[in-house]
Amino acid sequence: MKKILFPMATALMLMLAFTSCSSDDSNDDNNGSEQFSFSEQTYSTWSKVDFAYGSMYDANETVNVTKEAVTFHSDTWGDGSFTVSSFTRNDNGSYSIVAEGTIAMNGHGTVKSYDATVTGTIAADAQTFVISVPSVMGGTVLNVTVGELPVAAAVEGTYKGGTYVSAAYFQKQYATENEKAVLKANEALDALSVSYTSETWGEFSYENVVATQNEDGSYTLAGEGKCLMPGMGGGAAKEYVATFEGKVSNKTLVATFSVPSVMGGTTVYFNAEDFAEVLADAQENDGK
């Protein structure tokens, strides 16, 4: 009887130990993160592109990833083809990838290939890639993110255009060509700063300008800020509350920079539809 009970007790202890280890292994594998099995994917992406001379944003890209190869396409930065040298699963269930190859860029009508590398992390809920091209523009790095380009990043840039000014005491005067307005996305890419300087009307600056995308693909912008306006007759500059409204479409900004408390309300019109007509009238009157 004792010989029978001993093996049974031993078997029971082994089964309990196995069950306990299996449960612990399962918890270790999950490690608080969602598990998923990687398969070939094509991602729609956008990039923040950093180079020696500055940075910019790029939209409407694609990245295709397998365990053997990565391909990349951008209308701006060209086509990349890379061979995977390392594809590993991390403890948290994500995957890390390293690949080497080339990216073919079209510069001034001539396509040229440059050595480049790709590193990336692929998780169930987020995917990021970094494409490095050391020999282009002092070192170019595309920080690639899956998803749609944020609105603030989409409208960032320096916009040029003509201006004229209207106030309670005059209309459509001081027509000026080749003015510049600078729109800069903040670090969180959820708002913009806007700056514009006029030799006559001073420095306009706005923070936390909100941009929204319209159904037709254009963008509407609005915000409040300040204008540091020169004093009359060379006097000290004075700060006034200013408002900004604008619309970006087809890479063109049409906007107003307004100072409600100056001369019954003063507004600088940037790229107004009738600017060419106002400028022609001003030039004609100056010639008389």
Side-chain angles (χ1 to χ4, degrees):
M1 184 70 174
K2 291 181 179 179
K3 292 181 179 179
I4 296 173
L5 290 174
F6 181 79
M8 289 179 63
T10 303
L12 179 60
M13 292 176 65
L14 289 172
M15 183 174 68
L16 290 172
F18 177 78
T19 302
S20 175
C21 289
S22 297
S23 176
D24 290 344
D25 289 345
S26 177
N27 288 336
D28 288 344
D29 286 344
N30 286 334
N31 198 28
S33 299
E34 182 181 354
Q35 298 292 300
F36 76 104
S37 179
F38 174 81
S39 59
E40 178 179 352
Q41 296 285 338
T42 298
Y43 302 102
S44 297
T45 65
W46 60 274
S47 292
K48 182 182 180 184
V49 185
D50 297 316
F51 40 90
Y53 317 111
S55 64
M56 62 173 287
Y57 292 97
D58 186 46
N60 303 318
E61 305 168 343
T62 57
V63 176
N64 178 267
V65 183
T66 72
K67 292 183 178 181
E68 295 78 29
V70 177
T71 57
F72 169 77
H73 171 75
S74 162
D75 290 343
T76 303
W77 297 98
D79 293 283
S81 180
F82 308 90
T83 300
V84 173
S85 59
S86 174
F87 194 98
T88 57
R89 184 166 182 167
N90 303 313
D91 290 341
N92 65 359
S94 66
Y95 296 86
S96 293
I97 186 169
V98 178
E100 295 86 23
T102 60
I103 187 166
M105 298 183 181
N106 188 344
H108 305 291
T110 301
V111 177
K112 186 176 180 180
S113 292
Y114 302 90
D115 290 338
T117 60
V118 178
T119 58
T121 301
I122 304 169
D125 57 352
Q127 305 81 31
T128 59
F129 306 93
V130 177
I131 301 175
S132 299
V133 194
S135 61
V136 172
M137 289 190 290
T140 297
V141 178
L142 286 78
N143 301 283
V144 183
T145 300
V146 174
E148 294 292 326
L149 179 67
V151 171
V155 298
E156 180 179 283
T158 298
Y159 295 85
K160 296 181 179 181
T163 62
Y164 61 70
V165 182
S166 291
Y169 312 117
F170 59 83
Q171 295 293 307
K172 299 182 179 181
Q173 300 294 315
Y174 305 100
T176 306
E177 297 180 283
N178 301 318
E179 299 280 82
K180 293 193 301 184
V182 179
L183 279 58
K184 179 71 175 177
N186 65 7
E187 188 173 347
L189 302 183
D190 59 4
L192 295 144
S193 64
V194 177
S195 60
Y196 160 68
T197 299
S198 164
E199 289 187 9
T200 303
W201 304 101
E203 300 175 5
F204 293 80
S205 59
Y206 307 84
E207 301 293 335
N208 298 316
V209 172
V210 176
T212 56
Q213 186 170 13
N214 304 312
E215 291 185 0
D216 63 0
S218 64
Y219 302 89
T220 300
L221 306 94
E224 294 186 355
K226 61 185 180 180
C227 174
L228 190 62
M229 189 175 292
M232 297 294 291
K238 186 176 180 180
E239 185 177 297
Y240 299 91
V241 172
T243 61
F244 168 79
E245 293 183 354
K247 184 175 182 179
V248 174
S249 58
N250 299 320
K251 299 182 179 180
T252 299
L253 171 67
V254 176
T256 56
F257 301 85
S258 298
V259 186
S261 61
V262 171
M263 290 188 289
T266 299
T267 299
V268 179
Y269 291 84
F270 188 95
N271 261 339
E273 186 175 325
D274 60 350
F275 170 75
E277 178 183 339
V278 174
L279 178 64
D281 289 343
Q283 291 173 338
E284 182 178 348
N285 291 331
D286 286 344
K288 292 181 179 179

